[in-house]
């Protein structure tokens, strides 16, 4: 499996509900590496760039309002097949329908306030990483990688 990087946002509801540590610990327990992390309150411009593909959707204005309303945590995770693995860990968009055991399934009861965003493809990951981490990332290996990332 290819080693991939994926952009994750712990959205304003995750920060306001005190779930930063809980959610990051799930990614860490999966043996993913955190190679970028910052607390930030994005501008309208950054938020609109990030969600550009939803520009024509009726919920776009409320999506921008929500994502810029309060600080969020932007993360970059790295690991084998990280894009699909992280999407699986967070679960489907609507927290009410997300299965138990997923992050949204365990903590979210909403489609808009669904705690986490994660890149959905290698192309999205590349585009989103450039928006949120233009300053670059920290390259390192966890000491347990040799134990965790084996076929
Ligand atoms: P996210 O994975 O960040 O990608 C786009 C976001 O739009 C999604 O999570 C939801 O938070 C939000 N979203 C998707 N569909 C709806 C909807 N029907 N109503 C409101 N927000 C939505």
């Amino acid at each position: 499996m290819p080693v991939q990087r994926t952009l994750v946002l712990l959205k304003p509801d995750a920060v306001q509900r005190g779930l930063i540590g809980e959610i990051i610990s799930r990614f860490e327990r999966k043996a993913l590496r955190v190679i970028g992390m910052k607390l930030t309150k994005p501008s309208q411009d950054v938020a609109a760039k990030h969600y550009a593909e939803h520009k024509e959707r009726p919920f776009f204005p409320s999506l921008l309002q929500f994502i810029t309303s309060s600080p969020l945590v932007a993360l970059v995770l790295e690991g084998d097949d990280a894009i699909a693995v992280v999407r699986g860990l967070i679960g489907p968009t609507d927290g009410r329908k997300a299965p138990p055991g997923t992050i949204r399934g365990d903590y979210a009861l909403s489609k808009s306030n669904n705690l986490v965003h994660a890149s959905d493809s290698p192309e999205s990951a590349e585009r989103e990483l450039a928006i949120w981490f233009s300053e670059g990332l920290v390259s390192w290996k966890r000491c347990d990688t040799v134990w965790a990332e084996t076929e």
Side-chain angles (χ1 to χ4, degrees), residues 34-131:
V34 177
I35 59 166
M37 176 157 64
K38 62 184 165 196
L39 181 85
T40 178
K41 194 159 176 285
S43 64
Q44 290 283 325
D45 193 43
V46 165
K49 259 193 210 147
H50 175 77
Y51 280 128
E53 69 177 295
H54 299 297
K55 209 164 83 189
E56 307 305 330
R57 309 286 282 273
F59 58 82
F60 186 68
S62 60
L63 181 57
L64 284 204
Q65 199 285 326
F66 165 62
I67 208 76
T68 58
S69 63
S70 185
L72 57 76
V73 174
L75 285 178
V76 183
L77 299 174
E78 185 179 69
D80 268 4
D81 207 17
I83 295 168
V85 165
V86 170
R87 293 281 292 187
L89 289 175
I90 72 176
T93 305
D94 189 338
R96 288 163 294 216
K97 297 188 180 136
T102 64
I103 294 168
R104 288 166 171 164
D106 287 350
Y107 301 113
L109 266 178
S110 163
K111 193 186 260 184
S112 52
N113 293 21
N114 60 0
L115 299 169
V116 195
H117 165 86
S119 308
D120 62 4
S121 66
E123 296 72 31
S124 302
E126 193 179 336
R127 192 183 71 80
E128 293 170 3
L129 286 175
I131 295 170

Side-chain angles (χ1 to χ4, degrees), residues 11-25:
K11 299 183 187 184
D13 53 333
V15 177
Q16 290 287 351
R17 292 178 57 196
L19 291 171
I20 297 173
E22 180 71 34
I23 296 172
I24 291 178
S25 76

